[in-house]
Amino acid sequence: MNFRIVLYVLGGLLRLLGLFMIIPLGVAYYYGESLTPFLISILVTTITGFLLLSYKTEEEWMRKEGFAIVALGWLAAAIFGAIPFIMDGISPLNAFFESMSGFTATGSTILTDIESHPKSILFWRGMIMWLGGMGIIVLFIAILPKLGVAGRQLFRAEMPGPTEEKLKPRVRETAKILWIIYFVISFLQVIALMLAGVSLYDSLNLMFSTVSCGGFSNYALSVGAFNSPHIEYITALFTFIAGVNFALYYRAMFVDKNTLLKDEEFRFYTALILAASGLLTFLLWRDFGTNLSDSFRLAIFHVISVMTTTGLVTTDFNLWSDSAKMILIIVGFIGGCAGSTGGGIKVVRVLILLKHSRMELFKALHPRAIKGVKLNSKNVPEEIVNSIVSFVVIYLLIFVSSALVLSVLGMDIITSFTASIATLGNVGPGMNVVGPMGSFDSIPLLGKLVLIANMWIGRLEVYTVILLFTPEFWKK
Amino acid sequence: MNFRIVLYVLGGLLRLLGLFMIIPLGVAYYYGESLTPFLISILVTTITGFLLLSYKTEEEWMRKEGFAIVALGWLAAAIFGAIPFIMDGISPLNAFFESMSGFTATGSTILTDIESHPKSILFWRGMIMWLGGMGIIVLFIAILPKLGVAGRQLFRAEMPGPTEEKLKPRVRETAKILWIIYFVISFLQVIALMLAGVSLYDSLNLMFSTVSCGGFSNYALSVGAFNSPHIEYITALFTFIAGVNFALYYRAMFVDKNTLLKDEEFRFYTALILAASGLLTFLLWRDFGTNLSDSFRLAIFHVISVMTTTGLVTTDFNLWSDSAKMILIIVGFIGGCAGSTGGGIKVVRVLILLKHSRMELFKALHPRAIKGVKLNSKNVPEEIVNSIVSFVVIYLLIFVSSALVLSVLGMDIITSFTASIATLGNVGPGMNVVGPMGSFDSIPLLGKLVLIANMWIGRLEVYTVILLFTPEFWKK
Ligand SMILES: [K+]
Ligand SMILES: [K+]
């Protein structure tokens, strides 16, 4: 392990983070709010960045350094990104929680009176989700495939061009394309929201939350605060878009117009959303007497929001009937598409596991048959199935363990399980105590630390973080 | 598919079932209860058996016939075994539920006033668990390995002698050995219970429930009715014994005395029980102020009972704190050892999945390393890992789907999830409405049918039943 390289790259990252902090500083200036929080944050972050940049080296980073950079990079961003919150009077642990929740685009919040905070602080809170979302896309499509992590070829296969060159130039080129797509989608949503009458400030914040699948809102009532079906449908549409593999958009534009319709993961993603929304519409109509069109509006918004692990809401789904809640729990487990900003297990993993099981059933009848799993007409190598399996096993193990810790700390079963999956799957809100109108503030200290770890681990596809905690990783 | 063979074997099975019904007839005679229920049951079952035996054939049964015989055999037993309950005045659906719960050694009950039923009926209710347990062992160690189902070699490896001969003589020989072990354990428990002052009738019934990991009790308070630590510890010990791979007992006696200690599954099973009992002891002590020795007694009994999926209780664990309940939920998912009478996912499957994940983590750091999963110092073939994966995927899919159905029918989330796993994992009691002192009677009709299917599917290792519902199975 070459520590110099890791520190050097982290230095560059912090310098960049310091630069980004100038934006909320401008917002604070515009609204006549205190500039101190951001001035101090910029100073601390930038100085630390430059100190680390002194470890300059010409060496290339390899596999191990790659894992360390990704995991520690997100951790460092969450730590330094928390400074503005601390300056705003939030306790360091809560500030760290909120910052990690932002950078991992989780959207679980410890704030209890959101509207009481300065606009610039809330802007920063939204912006870090957006930055996190940017990082996630690059991580998924450009970095993880190179590190050989869980389900790697799934994303690699979608990107054009050769993939066996040196890491650096390839990452930059891929990242650039993806960011342009991310920018364009962000821009379109802001325009759409402003045309619907939303202020620029609110449009930007809602866009941050949507395209990153983040889910923080500047309003306690979340998207419900706008009280507008029009805005809800715009948000739902862009949430749906954010939950799709971004590499597909590239292919659709430059390679094959029908990419989306041909892609099995996209089709399964859409089918699941429609099926779950249909059932949920029925349940809301049956259990609450809501008329069908309002039931559908509620259903499609929340199914998309929870399945993409965005976590924006238009109502307190914690008050729904248990069957309606169960649908949200199930889709939240599945998550968005690979290569999207969404979290969760990911649609493609679920799809491959289902195909794998169907094939095994077939083999039980025809034991001598040689048959593999296919995705988009291509064979899925055994090693991908293997890495998906271990991903899901470790994921479920962490899910159950952290739920157990929370319950030992005194939380009820539903709060424990949903807080665990809400953070590990980067969904945001859970149920009961941590429901959409609740807060993670009341969770005891140890519980908060576990949930912070969950967000970090879940966001970085489990392996990236877990590896850091194996003795094997630190061996020469 | 050769229907003749299937019908012929089912005929033999029903004739045998009719013979077994003579035992509760004797019990009814002894206690001066009505003989009619069993006379009619014997008549109907035996006549049907002889009718089917007319399909006599000299042909051997093959893979497909094997699946059909196992799945339909259990179904037929549950249907004909329900006749005495119907004669006792229980509704046909409830009688079928109770009978399936017995033959699958699930122990979920629809009875609400257990003590009001005749002794002979309750004896039959216990006896079918015991018969079911007998069937399970043979299914696991002798039949499934031959059919090539999920995790087959796991059990085959443990049995002595060659395994490639014709199916019939091999099954008989293996079955005989296993039944002797089953008889001996049953006998020892009855002796132990009688020495502790339990009546012969009660001893037999408690033994039926224990060695089969069944869990029905003749008392609403279950083992708590005896109000004796001595009897509780005897029951816990024999439950523990019933949760171990029976093939290991054979090996320990005739091949290698240290088999148990050397076996990784057994060690993991024991370690999990000790760890979960330790944590549960702490929680019961902390949350209820129960003294440590009573907490331990409660903890070890219920951890063993739920983990082996027996489901006997000495108290209403539904009243425990949520953290204590969560421990039971987690161990109930894991289940007993393969080749035991316990249900659930099975310890060895969980163990192999964990080993597999650890290996994948290692491979993420050393992508060129060639390394497989080992169990008991032997390599676990890829195909076993694959079959375990698809088993678990289908298992979880059924678990979630049936919970969803229950919740749509109006059950709360905890009842839905726990009723689903209690039946699919053949545990018996769930929580809330279906808790240890509750009953499955209040579940709506469709829900009961789903849960009956769960018991059937879960007991026969998923594949055996699921295959029957694939079009592939019925193709020429
Ligand atoms: K989120
Ligand atoms: K049971």
Side-chain angles (χ1 to χ4, degrees):
Chain A
M1 167 75 105
N2 188 328
F3 288 100
R4 280 192 77 90
I5 297 181
V6 176
L7 294 174
Y8 178 66
V9 178
L10 289 183
L13 197 86
L14 288 182
R15 190 180 52 180
L16 194 67
L17 190 65
L19 273 177
F20 275 120
M21 284 173 176
I22 295 172
I23 302 172
L25 181 75
V27 175
Y29 179 79
Y30 180 84
Y31 287 109
E33 293 169 354
S34 167
L35 303 182
T36 333
F38 293 103
L39 286 175
I40 292 184
S41 304
I42 291 170
L43 216 68
V44 174
T45 310
T46 317
I47 290 176
T48 314
F50 275 107
L51 286 176
L52 294 178
L53 279 170
S54 66
Y55 291 98
K56 189 163 171 52
T57 164
E58 289 302 317
E59 290 173 85
E60 279 277 334
W61 48 281
M62 292 296 163
R63 179 178 292 269
K64 276 194 184 179
E65 288 80 24
F67 285 118
I69 288 167
V70 170
L72 299 177
W74 244 276
L75 188 64
I79 291 171
F80 286 88
I83 303 176
F85 300 132
I86 297 175
M87 303 297 299
D88 184 43
I90 299 171
S91 79
L93 177 68
N94 277 356
F96 182 41
F97 186 99
E98 200 76 0
S99 178
M100 182 61 97
S101 180
F103 278 105
T104 55
T106 302
S108 300
T109 187
I110 45 80
L111 298 186
T112 43
D113 184 12
I114 296 166
E115 282 97 338
S116 71
H117 294 271
K119 289 198 158 194
S120 53
I121 290 290
L122 293 179
F123 191 85
W124 177 242
R125 180 167 167 264
M127 212 181 119
I128 58 179
M129 285 186 294
W130 192 73
L131 294 176
M134 213 163 185
I136 291 153
I137 293 172
V138 174
L139 174 73
F140 248 93
I141 312 194
I143 304 179
L144 287 185
K146 287 288 173 183
L147 295 181
V149 159
R152 40 203 179 281
Q153 287 89 335
L154 295 176
F155 323 116
R156 185 194 286 173
E158 303 299 340
M159 288 305 293
T163 50
E164 299 304 321
E165 322 103 294
K166 275 197 191 163
L167 185 51
K168 241 183 182 169
R170 182 75 195 145
V171 169
R172 286 215 177 127
E173 178 201 319
T174 314
K176 212 194 279 172
I177 300 167
L178 294 169
W179 284 341
I180 290 170
I181 296 171
Y182 191 64
F183 262 93
V184 170
I185 293 174
S186 301
F187 181 76
L188 290 176
Q189 193 189 356
V190 172
I191 298 294
L193 287 172
M194 289 184 74
L195 288 177
V198 183
S199 72
L200 175 63
Y201 176 83
D202 277 349
S203 295
L204 282 171
N205 271 292
L206 186 47
M207 176 278 285
F208 287 154
S209 202
T210 308
V211 298
S212 66
C213 293
F216 275 149
S217 172
N218 287 2
Y219 300 100
L221 298 176
S222 190
V223 180
F226 296 102
N227 200 12
S228 149
H230 195 170
I231 293 168
E232 289 175 24
Y233 276 115
I234 292 173
T235 309
L237 174 66
F238 280 90
T239 311
F240 177 83
I241 291 171
V244 174
N245 189 341
F246 277 62
L248 292 184
Y249 296 132
Y250 177 91
R251 272 186 75 87
M253 280 187 290
F254 300 108
V255 185
D256 176 3
K257 271 185 191 164
N258 298 318
T259 300
L260 282 172
L261 292 177
K262 281 181 188 166
D263 185 71
E264 282 193 62
E265 183 185 23
F266 177 79
R267 286 189 342 230
F268 193 48
Y269 166 73
T270 312
L272 283 173
I273 286 176
L274 291 177
S277 302
L279 182 53
L280 186 52
T281 303
F282 164 73
L283 291 172
L284 292 174
W285 168 79
R286 186 193 69 176
D287 297 345
F288 294 97
T290 318
N291 69 53
L292 272 179
S293 91
D294 284 347
S295 296
F296 176 75
R297 194 177 105 210
L298 282 167
I300 192 102
F301 185 94
H302 291 92
V303 164
I304 292 180
S305 175
V306 174
M307 175 140 160
T308 58
T309 74
T310 302
L312 286 166
V313 300
T314 66
T315 187
D316 186 0
F317 58 63
N318 208 21
L319 304 174
W320 287 359
S321 62
D322 275 21
S323 49
K325 285 196 234 176
M326 198 182 268
I327 290 175
L328 295 185
I329 293 175
I330 295 170
V331 297
F333 257 92
I334 299 172
C337 297
S340 74
T341 53
I345 288 175
K346 304 278 183 317
V347 174
V348 72
R349 290 206 179 91
V350 174
L351 182 60
I352 289 181
L353 286 179
L354 290 176
K355 282 174 169 243
H356 176 79
S357 301
R358 198 179 53 188
M359 187 200 61
E360 284 291 317
L361 274 179
F362 177 85
K363 279 190 180 165
L365 288 176
H366 308 279
R368 274 172 289 272
I370 293 165
K371 212 183 157 198
V373 173
K374 277 179 186 291
L375 186 77
N376 292 331
S377 319
K378 276 177 230 140
N379 279 316
V380 179
E382 271 286 309
E383 57 177 299
I384 289 200
V385 178
N386 282 334
S387 66
I388 291 176
V389 168
S390 70
F391 172 90
V392 173
V393 170
I394 300 174
Y395 193 88
L396 293 179
L397 195 67
I398 296 171
F399 161 65
V400 171
S401 313
S402 31
L404 182 60
V405 171
L406 290 181
S407 83
V408 169
L409 293 174
M411 315 308 289
D412 67 272
I413 288 188
I414 305 237
T415 300
S416 301
F417 275 123
T418 60
S420 175
I421 192 63
T423 48
L424 185 64
N426 304 114
V427 181
M431 282 167 188
N432 280 8
V433 177
V434 295
M437 304 295 148
S439 153
F440 285 71
D441 190 37
S442 60
I443 289 179
L445 181 129
L446 178 62
K448 276 183 190 161
L449 290 175
V450 167
L451 296 183
I452 289 171
N454 271 7
M455 297 191 244
W456 187 38
I457 294 170
R459 182 77 281 172
L460 305 182
E461 294 289 298
V462 179
Y463 272 44
T464 324
V465 175
I466 294 294
L467 276 176
L468 258 63
F469 294 92
T470 60
E472 192 67 29
F473 188 81
W474 301 100
K475 266 191 209 157
K476 274 289 163 192
Chain B
M1 169 73 105
N2 189 327
F3 288 100
R4 279 192 78 89
I5 297 183
V6 176
L7 294 174
Y8 178 67
V9 177
L10 290 183
L13 196 86
L14 288 181
R15 190 181 51 181
L16 195 66
L17 190 65
L19 273 177
F20 275 120
M21 284 173 176
I22 295 173
I23 301 172
L25 182 74
V27 175
Y29 178 79
Y30 180 84
Y31 287 108
E33 294 168 354
S34 166
L35 304 182
T36 332
F38 294 102
L39 286 175
I40 291 184
S41 304
I42 292 169
L43 217 67
V44 174
T45 310
T46 316
I47 290 176
T48 316
F50 276 106
L51 286 176
L52 293 178
L53 279 170
S54 66
Y55 291 98
K56 190 164 170 52
T57 164
E58 289 301 316
E59 290 174 84
E60 281 277 335
W61 47 283
M62 293 295 162
R63 178 176 294 268
K64 276 192 183 180
E65 289 78 26
F67 285 118
I69 287 168
V70 171
L72 299 178
W74 245 275
L75 188 65
I79 291 170
F80 287 87
I83 303 174
F85 300 132
I86 297 173
M87 304 297 299
D88 183 42
I90 299 171
S91 79
L93 177 67
N94 277 356
F96 181 41
F97 185 101
E98 200 75 1
S99 178
M100 182 61 96
S101 181
F103 278 105
T104 56
T106 303
S108 301
T109 186
I110 44 79
L111 298 186
T112 43
D113 184 12
I114 297 166
E115 282 97 336
S116 71
H117 294 272
K119 288 197 160 195
S120 53
I121 291 289
L122 293 180
F123 191 86
W124 175 242
R125 180 167 168 263
M127 212 182 120
I128 58 179
M129 285 187 295
W130 191 75
L131 295 175
M134 214 162 185
I136 291 154
I137 293 173
V138 174
L139 175 73
F140 249 94
I141 313 194
I143 304 180
L144 287 185
K146 287 287 175 184
L147 296 180
V149 160
R152 41 203 178 280
Q153 287 89 337
L154 295 177
F155 323 116
R156 184 195 289 175
E158 303 299 338
M159 288 305 294
T163 50
E164 300 303 324
E165 324 102 294
K166 274 196 190 165
L167 185 51
K168 241 182 182 170
R170 181 77 194 143
V171 169
R172 287 214 177 128
E173 178 199 321
T174 312
K176 213 193 279 172
I177 299 167
L178 293 169
W179 284 340
I180 291 171
I181 297 172
Y182 192 65
F183 263 93
V184 170
I185 293 174
S186 302
F187 182 75
L188 290 176
Q189 192 188 357
V190 171
I191 298 295
L193 287 172
M194 290 184 73
L195 287 176
V198 183
S199 72
L200 174 63
Y201 176 84
D202 277 349
S203 295
L204 282 171
N205 271 292
L206 187 47
M207 175 278 285
F208 287 155
S209 203
T210 309
V211 298
S212 66
C213 293
F216 275 148
S217 173
N218 286 1
Y219 299 100
L221 298 176
S222 190
V223 180
F226 296 101
N227 200 12
S228 148
H230 195 168
I231 292 168
E232 290 175 23
Y233 277 115
I234 292 174
T235 309
L237 173 67
F238 279 91
T239 313
F240 177 83
I241 291 171
V244 174
N245 189 340
F246 277 62
L248 292 185
Y249 296 133
Y250 178 91
R251 271 187 74 85
M253 280 188 287
F254 300 109
V255 184
D256 176 3
K257 272 185 189 164
N258 298 317
T259 300
L260 282 172
L261 292 176
K262 281 182 189 165
D263 185 70
E264 283 193 64
E265 183 186 25
F266 177 78
R267 287 191 339 233
F268 192 48
Y269 167 73
T270 312
L272 282 172
I273 287 175
L274 292 178
S277 302
L279 182 54
L280 186 52
T281 303
F282 164 73
L283 291 172
L284 293 174
W285 169 79
R286 185 192 70 176
D287 297 345
F288 294 97
T290 318
N291 68 54
L292 273 179
S293 90
D294 283 347
S295 296
F296 176 76
R297 192 178 106 211
L298 283 166
I300 192 100
F301 185 93
H302 292 92
V303 164
I304 292 180
S305 173
V306 174
M307 176 140 161
T308 57
T309 73
T310 302
L312 286 167
V313 299
T314 66
T315 186
D316 186 1
F317 58 63
N318 208 20
L319 304 174
W320 288 357
S321 62
D322 275 20
S323 50
K325 285 195 232 176
M326 197 183 269
I327 290 175
L328 295 185
I329 293 175
I330 295 170
V331 298
F333 257 91
I334 300 172
C337 297
S340 74
T341 53
I345 288 175
K346 303 278 183 319
V347 175
V348 71
R349 290 204 179 91
V350 174
L351 181 61
I352 288 182
L353 286 179
L354 291 177
K355 283 173 170 243
H356 175 79
S357 301
R358 199 179 53 189
M359 188 199 62
E360 284 291 318
L361 273 179
F362 177 85
K363 278 189 180 165
L365 288 176
H366 309 280
R368 272 172 292 272
I370 294 166
K371 214 184 154 197
V373 172
K374 276 180 187 289
L375 186 76
N376 292 332
S377 319
K378 277 178 229 137
N379 279 315
V380 180
E382 272 287 310
E383 58 177 299
I384 289 201
V385 178
N386 282 334
S387 67
I388 290 176
V389 168
S390 69
F391 172 90
V392 173
V393 170
I394 300 174
Y395 193 88
L396 293 179
L397 196 67
I398 296 170
F399 161 64
V400 171
S401 314
S402 30
L404 182 61
V405 171
L406 290 181
S407 83
V408 169
L409 294 174
M411 315 307 289
D412 67 272
I413 288 186
I414 304 234
T415 299
S416 301
F417 275 122
T418 60
S420 175
I421 192 63
T423 47
L424 184 64
N426 305 115
V427 181
M431 282 168 188
N432 280 8
V433 176
V434 296
M437 305 295 147
S439 153
F440 285 73
D441 190 38
S442 59
I443 289 179
L445 182 129
L446 178 62
K448 276 184 189 158
L449 290 175
V450 168
L451 296 183
I452 289 171
N454 272 6
M455 298 190 246
W456 186 38
I457 294 170
R459 183 76 280 173
L460 304 183
E461 294 290 297
V462 179
Y463 272 44
T464 324
V465 175
I466 294 293
L467 276 176
L468 258 64
F469 294 93
T470 60
E472 191 68 31
F473 187 82
W474 301 100
K475 265 190 208 159
K476 272 290 166 196

